[in-house]
Coordinates of all heavy atoms in Angstrom, one line a residue:
P21 N -17.5 9.0 -8.2 CA -17.7 7.8 -9.0 C -16.5 7.4 -9.8 O -16.2 6.2 -9.9 CB -18.9 8.0 -9.9 CG -19.1 9.5 -9.9 CD -18.5 10.0 -8.6
F22 N -15.7 8.3 -10.2 CA -14.5 8.0 -11.0 C -13.4 7.5 -10.1 O -12.7 6.6 -10.5 CB -14.1 9.3 -11.8 CG -15.1 9.7 -12.8 CD1 -16.1 10.6 -12.5 CD2 -15.1 9.1 -14.1 CE1 -17.1 11.0 -13.4 CE2 -16.0 9.5 -15.0 CZ -17.0 10.4 -14.7
L23 N -13.2 8.2 -9.0 CA -12.1 7.7 -8.1 C -12.5 6.3 -7.5 O -11.6 5.5 -7.3 CB -11.8 8.7 -7.0 CG -11.0 9.9 -7.5 CD1 -10.9 10.9 -6.4 CD2 -9.6 9.6 -8.0
N24 N -13.7 6.1 -7.2 CA -14.2 4.9 -6.6 C -14.0 3.7 -7.6 O -13.7 2.6 -7.2 CB -15.6 4.9 -6.1 CG -15.8 5.7 -4.9 OD1 -14.8 6.1 -4.2 ND2 -17.0 6.0 -4.5
K25 N -14.1 4.0 -8.9 CA -14.0 3.0 -9.9 C -12.6 2.8 -10.4 O -12.3 1.8 -11.0 CB -14.8 3.4 -11.2 CG -16.3 3.1 -11.0 CD -17.0 3.1 -12.4 CE -16.6 4.2 -13.3 NZ -17.5 4.4 -14.4
Q26 N -11.7 3.7 -10.0 CA -10.3 3.6 -10.5 C -9.6 2.4 -9.9 O -9.5 2.2 -8.7 CB -9.5 4.9 -10.1 CG -8.1 4.8 -10.5 CD -7.8 4.7 -12.0 OE1 -8.5 5.4 -12.8 NE2 -6.9 3.9 -12.4
E27 N -9.1 1.5 -10.8 CA -8.4 0.3 -10.3 C -7.2 0.7 -9.5 O -6.4 1.6 -9.9 CB -8.0 -0.5 -11.6 CG -7.6 -1.9 -11.2 CD -7.5 -2.8 -12.5 OE1 -8.4 -2.7 -13.4 OE2 -6.5 -3.4 -12.6
G28 N -7.0 0.0 -8.4 CA -5.8 0.3 -7.6 C -5.9 1.3 -6.6 O -5.0 1.6 -5.8
V29 N -7.1 2.0 -6.5 CA -7.4 3.0 -5.5 C -8.2 2.3 -4.4 O -9.3 1.9 -4.6 CB -8.2 4.2 -6.0 CG1 -8.6 5.1 -4.9 CG2 -7.3 5.0 -7.0
E30 N -7.5 2.2 -3.2 CA -8.2 1.5 -2.1 C -9.1 2.4 -1.4 O -10.2 2.1 -1.0 CB -7.2 1.0 -1.1 CG -6.4 -0.2 -1.6 CD -7.3 -1.4 -1.9 OE1 -8.1 -1.8 -1.0 OE2 -7.3 -2.0 -3.0
S31 N -8.6 3.7 -1.1 CA -9.5 4.7 -0.5 C -8.9 6.0 -0.8 O -7.8 6.1 -1.2 CB -9.5 4.5 1.0 OG -8.2 4.7 1.6
W32 N -9.7 7.1 -0.6 CA -9.2 8.4 -0.9 C -10.0 9.5 -0.1 O -11.1 9.2 0.4 CB -9.3 8.7 -2.4 CG -10.7 8.7 -2.9 CD1 -11.4 7.5 -3.3 CD2 -11.7 9.7 -3.0 NE1 -12.7 7.9 -3.7 CE2 -12.9 9.2 -3.5 CE3 -11.6 11.1 -2.7 CZ2 -14.0 10.0 -3.8 CZ3 -12.7 11.9 -3.0 CH2 -13.9 11.3 -3.5
E33 N -9.5 10.6 0.1 CA -10.2 11.7 0.7 C -9.6 13.0 0.2 O -8.4 13.1 -0.2 CB -10.1 11.6 2.2 CG -8.8 11.8 2.8 CD -8.8 11.7 4.3 OE1 -9.8 11.5 4.9 OE2 -7.7 11.8 4.9
V34 N -10.4 14.1 0.2 CA -9.9 15.4 -0.1 C -10.1 16.3 1.1 O -11.2 16.4 1.7 CB -10.7 16.0 -1.3 CG1 -10.2 17.4 -1.7 CG2 -10.7 15.1 -2.5
D35 N -9.0 17.1 1.4 CA -9.1 18.1 2.5 C -9.5 19.4 1.8 O -8.6 20.2 1.4 CB -7.8 18.1 3.2 CG -7.9 19.1 4.4 OD1 -8.9 19.8 4.6 OD2 -6.9 19.2 5.1
T36 N -10.8 19.7 1.7 CA -11.2 20.9 1.1 C -11.0 22.1 1.9 O -11.1 23.3 1.5 CB -12.7 20.9 0.7 OG1 -13.5 20.5 1.8 CG2 -12.9 19.8 -0.4
S37 N -10.7 21.9 3.2 CA -10.4 23.1 4.1 C -8.9 23.5 3.9 O -8.5 24.6 4.3 CB -10.7 22.8 5.5 OG -9.9 21.8 6.0
N38 N -8.1 22.7 3.4 CA -6.7 23.0 3.1 C -6.6 23.9 1.9 O -7.3 23.7 0.9 CB -5.9 21.7 2.9 CG -4.4 22.0 2.7 OD1 -4.0 22.7 1.8 ND2 -3.6 21.3 3.5
P39 N -5.8 25.0 1.9 CA -5.7 25.9 0.7 C -5.3 25.2 -0.5 O -5.6 25.6 -1.6 CB -4.7 26.9 1.1 CG -4.5 26.8 2.6 CD -5.0 25.5 3.0
D40 N -4.5 24.1 -0.4 CA -4.1 23.3 -1.6 C -5.0 22.2 -2.0 O -4.7 21.5 -2.9 CB -2.7 22.8 -1.4 CG -1.6 23.9 -1.4 OD1 -1.8 24.9 -2.0 OD2 -0.6 23.7 -0.7
K41 N -6.1 22.1 -1.2 CA -7.1 21.0 -1.5 C -6.5 19.7 -1.7 O -6.6 19.1 -2.8 CB -8.0 21.4 -2.8 CG -8.4 22.8 -2.8 CD -9.3 23.2 -1.6 CE -9.8 24.6 -1.7 NZ -10.2 25.1 -0.4

Side-chain angles (χ1 to χ4, degrees):
F22 294 91
L23 286 175
N24 287 351
K25 280 194 322 193
Q26 177 62 42
E27 195 171 313
V29 172
E30 288 298 308
S31 65
W32 62 273
E33 64 180 1
V34 181
D35 182 358
T36 55
S37 64
N38 184 305
D40 289 331
K41 314 302 180 196

